[in-house]
Amino acid sequence: IAGITQAPTSQILAAGRRMTLRCTQDMRHNAMYWYRQDLGLGLRLIHYSNTAGTTGKGEVPDGYSVSRANTDDFPLTLASAVPSQTSVYFCASSESSRSGANVLTFGAGSRLTVL
Amino acid sequence: GQNIDQPTEMTATEGAIVQINCTYQTSGFNGLFWYQQHAGEAPTFLSYNVLDGLEEKGRFSSFLSRSKGYSYLLLKELQMKDSASYLCAAMDSNYQLIWGAGTKLIIKP
């Protein structure tokens, strides 16, 4: 089934630890995104990639890094996790980031708890 | 600044009609999206409006007024499975999506 796979589904980790959330898509979409979703807030963009080899900062990039070595994979790394990074993280993709009808396909999400 | 406003929660009865409103302020405008998100799941695309007027898609319709910075999602013949959060998002002139916090819709039998 075509779509986006995220891993892990959920994770509890200690503050200060390094963590990588994995995201893989098989739709050959050019653009990929990482969002975090917190109760009472809208989806907030962390980082994005318009095409393989390029990345950009979103609304809340501090404490996170990404890479886009190929079309399919877009991992998100927390170098040193802090409790405020406790959230649900969604990876998403779209055919093009420069189109009005830019429909996003989302992964199932990764629930991260930092203690 | 850029902003999206939508009600936090709404309650409706099975079989009825409900209208979820969304107002937006963005730097430029490239369209308005509605997504549905069931609890614990990913958002899924419902509709996209870029021109004024009503777009109908089965039981769901979406309306846009660009001059008023206003949209609504209309759900007819409500079913229990429609219980979900409905996310409004506007795309600005840089093709960035500005998201509302979502409206949680509770359907009662």
mmCIF file of all heavy atoms in Angstrom, chain B residues 20-51:
data_model
loop_
_atom_site.group_PDB
_atom_site.id
_atom_site.type_symbol
_atom_site.label_atom_id
_atom_site.label_comp_id
_atom_site.label_asym_id
_atom_site.label_seq_id
_atom_site.Cartn_x
_atom_site.Cartn_y
_atom_site.Cartn_z
ATOM 1 N N ILE B 20 -18.884 23.842 10.322
ATOM 2 C CA ILE B 20 -17.686 24.210 11.072
ATOM 3 C C ILE B 20 -17.043 25.401 10.373
ATOM 4 O O ILE B 20 -16.653 25.302 9.212
ATOM 5 C CB ILE B 20 -16.696 23.031 11.155
ATOM 6 C CG1 ILE B 20 -17.380 21.819 11.796
ATOM 7 C CG2 ILE B 20 -15.468 23.443 11.952
ATOM 8 C CD1 ILE B 20 -16.526 20.561 11.779
ATOM 9 N N ASN B 21 -16.924 26.499 11.093
ATOM 10 C CA ASN B 21 -16.410 27.733 10.507
ATOM 11 C C ASN B 21 -14.916 27.895 10.722
ATOM 12 O O ASN B 21 -14.354 27.390 11.692
ATOM 13 C CB ASN B 21 -17.132 28.937 11.106
ATOM 14 C CG ASN B 21 -18.605 28.947 10.786
ATOM 15 O OD1 ASN B 21 -19.020 28.543 9.701
ATOM 16 N ND2 ASN B 21 -19.417 29.383 11.727
ATOM 17 N N CYS B 22 -14.296 28.643 9.824
ATOM 18 C CA CYS B 22 -12.863 28.918 9.901
ATOM 19 C C CYS B 22 -12.623 30.311 9.329
ATOM 20 O O CYS B 22 -13.084 30.612 8.225
ATOM 21 C CB CYS B 22 -12.090 27.866 9.108
ATOM 22 S SG CYS B 22 -10.333 28.224 8.872
ATOM 23 N N THR B 23 -11.946 31.154 10.085
ATOM 24 C CA THR B 23 -11.531 32.449 9.555
ATOM 25 C C THR B 23 -10.009 32.486 9.519
ATOM 26 O O THR B 23 -9.348 31.883 10.376
ATOM 27 C CB THR B 23 -12.057 33.618 10.409
ATOM 28 O OG1 THR B 23 -11.605 33.467 11.754
ATOM 29 C CG2 THR B 23 -13.570 33.660 10.390
ATOM 30 N N TYR B 24 -9.477 33.182 8.528
ATOM 31 C CA TYR B 24 -8.027 33.172 8.357
ATOM 32 C C TYR B 24 -7.498 34.555 8.013
ATOM 33 O O TYR B 24 -8.196 35.389 7.439
ATOM 34 C CB TYR B 24 -7.622 32.161 7.274
ATOM 35 C CG TYR B 24 -8.137 32.498 5.892
ATOM 36 C CD1 TYR B 24 -7.405 33.306 5.028
ATOM 37 C CD2 TYR B 24 -9.362 32.018 5.451
ATOM 38 C CE1 TYR B 24 -7.874 33.626 3.765
ATOM 39 C CE2 TYR B 24 -9.848 32.329 4.193
ATOM 40 C CZ TYR B 24 -9.105 33.128 3.354
ATOM 41 O OH TYR B 24 -9.580 33.448 2.102
ATOM 42 N N GLN B 25 -6.256 34.768 8.406
ATOM 43 C CA GLN B 25 -5.520 35.967 8.009
ATOM 44 C C GLN B 25 -4.145 35.494 7.572
ATOM 45 O O GLN B 25 -3.407 34.904 8.379
ATOM 46 C CB GLN B 25 -5.363 36.936 9.190
ATOM 47 C CG GLN B 25 -6.629 37.658 9.592
ATOM 48 C CD GLN B 25 -6.400 38.595 10.767
ATOM 49 O OE1 GLN B 25 -5.910 38.159 11.809
ATOM 50 N NE2 GLN B 25 -6.729 39.857 10.608
ATOM 51 N N THR B 26 -3.816 35.695 6.311
ATOM 52 C CA THR B 26 -2.523 35.251 5.799
ATOM 53 C C THR B 26 -1.901 36.327 4.924
ATOM 54 O O THR B 26 -2.600 37.207 4.418
ATOM 55 C CB THR B 26 -2.658 33.966 4.973
ATOM 56 O OG1 THR B 26 -3.603 34.178 3.926
ATOM 57 C CG2 THR B 26 -3.094 32.794 5.830
ATOM 58 N N SER B 27 -0.597 36.212 4.736
ATOM 59 C CA SER B 27 0.116 37.086 3.807
ATOM 60 C C SER B 27 -0.031 36.476 2.422
ATOM 61 O O SER B 27 0.676 35.542 2.064
ATOM 62 C CB SER B 27 1.590 37.178 4.199
ATOM 63 O OG SER B 27 1.733 37.682 5.501
ATOM 64 N N GLY B 28 -0.951 36.992 1.660
ATOM 65 C CA GLY B 28 -1.277 36.373 0.394
ATOM 66 C C GLY B 28 -2.120 35.129 0.625
ATOM 67 O O GLY B 28 -2.335 34.682 1.761
ATOM 68 N N PHE B 29 -2.602 34.538 -0.457
ATOM 69 C CA PHE B 29 -3.504 33.387 -0.311
ATOM 70 C C PHE B 29 -3.402 32.488 -1.529
ATOM 71 O O PHE B 29 -3.516 32.942 -2.676
ATOM 72 C CB PHE B 29 -4.940 33.893 -0.141
ATOM 73 C CG PHE B 29 -5.958 32.807 0.052
ATOM 74 C CD1 PHE B 29 -6.063 32.148 1.259
ATOM 75 C CD2 PHE B 29 -6.804 32.446 -0.985
ATOM 76 C CE1 PHE B 29 -7.009 31.142 1.440
ATOM 77 C CE2 PHE B 29 -7.746 31.448 -0.826
ATOM 78 C CZ PHE B 29 -7.859 30.787 0.396
ATOM 79 N N ASN B 30 -3.190 31.201 -1.242
ATOM 80 C CA ASN B 30 -3.126 30.224 -2.321
ATOM 81 C C ASN B 30 -4.055 29.046 -2.086
ATOM 82 O O ASN B 30 -3.848 27.968 -2.645
ATOM 83 C CB ASN B 30 -1.696 29.716 -2.505
ATOM 84 C CG ASN B 30 -0.888 30.617 -3.425
ATOM 85 O OD1 ASN B 30 -1.302 30.904 -4.547
ATOM 86 N ND2 ASN B 30 0.252 31.076 -2.951
ATOM 87 N N GLY B 31 -5.053 29.244 -1.238
ATOM 88 C CA GLY B 31 -6.036 28.191 -1.064
ATOM 89 C C GLY B 31 -6.286 27.828 0.381
ATOM 90 O O GLY B 31 -5.509 28.159 1.285
ATOM 91 N N LEU B 32 -7.408 27.140 0.597
ATOM 92 C CA LEU B 32 -7.861 26.770 1.938
ATOM 93 C C LEU B 32 -8.147 25.269 1.944
ATOM 94 O O LEU B 32 -8.857 24.767 1.067
ATOM 95 C CB LEU B 32 -9.116 27.585 2.273
ATOM 96 C CG LEU B 32 -9.667 27.642 3.699
ATOM 97 C CD1 LEU B 32 -10.247 26.322 4.175
ATOM 98 C CD2 LEU B 32 -8.619 28.151 4.681
ATOM 99 N N PHE B 33 -7.571 24.589 2.918
ATOM 100 C CA PHE B 33 -7.699 23.140 3.013
ATOM 101 C C PHE B 33 -8.484 22.743 4.265
ATOM 102 O O PHE B 33 -8.400 23.411 5.298
ATOM 103 C CB PHE B 33 -6.315 22.486 3.130
ATOM 104 C CG PHE B 33 -5.437 22.662 1.929
ATOM 105 C CD1 PHE B 33 -4.752 23.841 1.717
ATOM 106 C CD2 PHE B 33 -5.293 21.634 1.011
ATOM 107 C CE1 PHE B 33 -3.934 24.017 0.620
ATOM 108 C CE2 PHE B 33 -4.474 21.787 -0.095
ATOM 109 C CZ PHE B 33 -3.792 22.973 -0.282
ATOM 110 N N TRP B 34 -9.197 21.631 4.148
ATOM 111 C CA TRP B 34 -9.800 20.975 5.302
ATOM 112 C C TRP B 34 -9.285 19.546 5.362
ATOM 113 O O TRP B 34 -9.258 18.840 4.353
ATOM 114 C CB TRP B 34 -11.324 20.957 5.206
ATOM 115 C CG TRP B 34 -11.970 22.282 5.491
ATOM 116 C CD1 TRP B 34 -12.368 23.221 4.584
ATOM 117 C CD2 TRP B 34 -12.328 22.810 6.780
ATOM 118 N NE1 TRP B 34 -12.934 24.300 5.232
ATOM 119 C CE2 TRP B 34 -12.927 24.069 6.575
ATOM 120 C CE3 TRP B 34 -12.202 22.337 8.085
ATOM 121 C CZ2 TRP B 34 -13.394 24.860 7.626
ATOM 122 C CZ3 TRP B 34 -12.659 23.120 9.132
ATOM 123 C CH2 TRP B 34 -13.254 24.371 8.899
ATOM 124 N N TYR B 35 -8.882 19.158 6.577
ATOM 125 C CA TYR B 35 -8.441 17.790 6.842
ATOM 126 C C TYR B 35 -9.270 17.222 7.985
ATOM 127 O O TYR B 35 -9.701 17.951 8.885
ATOM 128 C CB TYR B 35 -6.962 17.750 7.236
ATOM 129 C CG TYR B 35 -5.991 17.912 6.085
ATOM 130 C CD1 TYR B 35 -5.747 19.161 5.514
ATOM 131 C CD2 TYR B 35 -5.320 16.808 5.571
ATOM 132 C CE1 TYR B 35 -4.863 19.309 4.465
ATOM 133 C CE2 TYR B 35 -4.426 16.947 4.511
ATOM 134 C CZ TYR B 35 -4.203 18.196 3.977
ATOM 135 O OH TYR B 35 -3.328 18.326 2.925
ATOM 136 N N GLN B 36 -9.456 15.913 7.949
ATOM 137 C CA GLN B 36 -10.135 15.197 9.033
ATOM 138 C C GLN B 36 -9.101 14.383 9.798
ATOM 139 O O GLN B 36 -8.217 13.773 9.193
ATOM 140 C CB GLN B 36 -11.195 14.252 8.450
ATOM 141 C CG GLN B 36 -11.975 13.460 9.488
ATOM 142 C CD GLN B 36 -12.849 12.389 8.833
ATOM 143 O OE1 GLN B 36 -12.361 11.515 8.119
ATOM 144 N NE2 GLN B 36 -14.153 12.469 9.059
ATOM 145 N N GLN B 37 -9.212 14.399 11.121
ATOM 146 C CA GLN B 37 -8.277 13.620 11.926
ATOM 147 C C GLN B 37 -9.037 12.884 13.029
ATOM 148 O O GLN B 37 -9.520 13.500 13.978
ATOM 149 C CB GLN B 37 -7.197 14.511 12.540
ATOM 150 C CG GLN B 37 -6.134 13.741 13.296
ATOM 151 C CD GLN B 37 -5.033 14.629 13.850
ATOM 152 O OE1 GLN B 37 -5.223 15.819 14.078
ATOM 153 N NE2 GLN B 37 -3.853 14.048 14.065
ATOM 154 N N HIS B 38 -9.114 11.565 12.904
ATOM 155 C CA HIS B 38 -9.693 10.767 13.973
ATOM 156 C C HIS B 38 -8.679 10.649 15.106
ATOM 157 O O HIS B 38 -7.463 10.717 14.882
ATOM 158 C CB HIS B 38 -10.088 9.383 13.463
ATOM 159 C CG HIS B 38 -11.334 9.398 12.623
ATOM 160 N ND1 HIS B 38 -11.319 9.349 11.248
ATOM 161 C CD2 HIS B 38 -12.639 9.472 12.979
ATOM 162 C CE1 HIS B 38 -12.562 9.387 10.789
ATOM 163 N NE2 HIS B 38 -13.382 9.468 11.820
ATOM 164 N N ALA B 39 -9.184 10.482 16.310
ATOM 165 C CA ALA B 39 -8.330 10.430 17.498
ATOM 166 C C ALA B 39 -7.243 9.369 17.339
ATOM 167 O O ALA B 39 -7.531 8.211 17.003
ATOM 168 C CB ALA B 39 -9.169 10.145 18.731
ATOM 169 N N GLY B 40 -6.016 9.772 17.571
ATOM 170 C CA GLY B 40 -4.899 8.844 17.498
ATOM 171 C C GLY B 40 -4.447 8.482 16.099
ATOM 172 O O GLY B 40 -3.612 7.591 15.935
ATOM 173 N N GLU B 41 -4.998 9.169 15.099
ATOM 174 C CA GLU B 41 -4.649 8.850 13.718
ATOM 175 C C GLU B 41 -4.062 10.076 13.004
ATOM 176 O O GLU B 41 -4.001 11.169 13.554
ATOM 177 C CB GLU B 41 -5.873 8.332 12.972
ATOM 178 C CG GLU B 41 -6.425 7.045 13.556
ATOM 179 C CD GLU B 41 -7.607 6.499 12.760
ATOM 180 O OE1 GLU B 41 -7.898 7.042 11.675
ATOM 181 O OE2 GLU B 41 -8.232 5.547 13.232
ATOM 182 N N ALA B 42 -3.663 9.868 11.782
ATOM 183 C CA ALA B 42 -3.100 10.944 10.973
ATOM 184 C C ALA B 42 -4.201 11.774 10.332
ATOM 185 O O ALA B 42 -5.299 11.269 10.060
ATOM 186 C CB ALA B 42 -2.212 10.351 9.892
ATOM 187 N N PRO B 43 -3.944 13.045 10.060
ATOM 188 C CA PRO B 43 -4.903 13.845 9.280
ATOM 189 C C PRO B 43 -5.031 13.292 7.864
ATOM 190 O O PRO B 43 -4.052 12.823 7.281
ATOM 191 C CB PRO B 43 -4.266 15.234 9.254
ATOM 192 C CG PRO B 43 -3.290 15.250 10.381
ATOM 193 C CD PRO B 43 -2.793 13.843 10.495
ATOM 194 N N THR B 44 -6.253 13.367 7.327
ATOM 195 C CA THR B 44 -6.477 12.968 5.935
ATOM 196 C C THR B 44 -7.196 14.106 5.209
ATOM 197 O O THR B 44 -8.060 14.771 5.780
ATOM 198 C CB THR B 44 -7.300 11.673 5.822
ATOM 199 O OG1 THR B 44 -8.531 11.850 6.522
ATOM 200 C CG2 THR B 44 -6.551 10.492 6.410
ATOM 201 N N PHE B 45 -6.867 14.290 3.961
ATOM 202 C CA PHE B 45 -7.361 15.401 3.160
ATOM 203 C C PHE B 45 -8.861 15.261 2.889
ATOM 204 O O PHE B 45 -9.354 14.191 2.546
ATOM 205 C CB PHE B 45 -6.597 15.430 1.836
ATOM 206 C CG PHE B 45 -7.157 16.383 0.814
ATOM 207 C CD1 PHE B 45 -6.969 17.742 0.939
ATOM 208 C CD2 PHE B 45 -7.872 15.898 -0.273
ATOM 209 C CE1 PHE B 45 -7.485 18.614 -0.004
ATOM 210 C CE2 PHE B 45 -8.389 16.756 -1.226
ATOM 211 C CZ PHE B 45 -8.192 18.119 -1.092
ATOM 212 N N LEU B 46 -9.585 16.380 3.063
ATOM 213 C CA LEU B 46 -11.011 16.404 2.735
ATOM 214 C C LEU B 46 -11.295 17.289 1.525
ATOM 215 O O LEU B 46 -11.993 16.872 0.601
ATOM 216 C CB LEU B 46 -11.825 16.940 3.920
ATOM 217 C CG LEU B 46 -12.060 16.021 5.111
ATOM 218 C CD1 LEU B 46 -12.850 16.759 6.184
ATOM 219 C CD2 LEU B 46 -12.790 14.755 4.679
ATOM 220 N N SER B 47 -10.786 18.541 1.554
ATOM 221 C CA SER B 47 -11.167 19.463 0.495
ATOM 222 C C SER B 47 -10.152 20.582 0.346
ATOM 223 O O SER B 47 -9.375 20.875 1.256
ATOM 224 C CB SER B 47 -12.540 20.073 0.783
ATOM 225 O OG SER B 47 -12.477 20.922 1.900
ATOM 226 N N TYR B 48 -10.203 21.203 -0.840
ATOM 227 C CA TYR B 48 -9.352 22.344 -1.171
ATOM 228 C C TYR B 48 -10.191 23.350 -1.933
ATOM 229 O O TYR B 48 -10.866 22.997 -2.908
ATOM 230 C CB TYR B 48 -8.176 21.886 -2.026
ATOM 231 C CG TYR B 48 -7.375 22.999 -2.655
ATOM 232 C CD1 TYR B 48 -6.577 23.830 -1.875
ATOM 233 C CD2 TYR B 48 -7.405 23.219 -4.037
ATOM 234 C CE1 TYR B 48 -5.825 24.843 -2.443
ATOM 235 C CE2 TYR B 48 -6.653 24.233 -4.610
ATOM 236 C CZ TYR B 48 -5.864 25.042 -3.820
ATOM 237 O OH TYR B 48 -5.124 26.045 -4.378
ATOM 238 N N ASN B 49 -10.177 24.596 -1.472
ATOM 239 C CA ASN B 49 -10.870 25.689 -2.163
ATOM 240 C C ASN B 49 -9.876 26.805 -2.440
ATOM 241 O O ASN B 49 -9.127 27.201 -1.547
ATOM 242 C CB ASN B 49 -11.993 26.277 -1.287
ATOM 243 C CG ASN B 49 -13.119 25.303 -1.018
ATOM 244 O OD1 ASN B 49 -12.937 24.299 -0.323
ATOM 245 N ND2 ASN B 49 -14.282 25.588 -1.545
ATOM 246 N N VAL B 50 -9.910 27.311 -3.657
ATOM 247 C CA VAL B 50 -9.093 28.474 -3.975
ATOM 248 C C VAL B 50 -9.951 29.596 -4.575
ATOM 249 O O VAL B 50 -9.581 30.760 -4.533
ATOM 250 C CB VAL B 50 -7.906 28.118 -4.897
ATOM 251 C CG1 VAL B 50 -8.412 27.698 -6.275
ATOM 252 C CG2 VAL B 50 -6.905 29.233 -4.979
ATOM 253 N N LEU B 51 -11.096 29.224 -5.118
ATOM 254 C CA LEU B 51 -12.042 30.201 -5.662
ATOM 255 C C LEU B 51 -13.243 30.324 -4.732
ATOM 256 O O LEU B 51 -13.593 29.368 -4.036
ATOM 257 C CB LEU B 51 -12.503 29.787 -7.053
ATOM 258 C CG LEU B 51 -11.404 29.646 -8.105
ATOM 259 C CD1 LEU B 51 -12.000 29.129 -9.411
ATOM 260 C CD2 LEU B 51 -10.689 30.972 -8.325
#
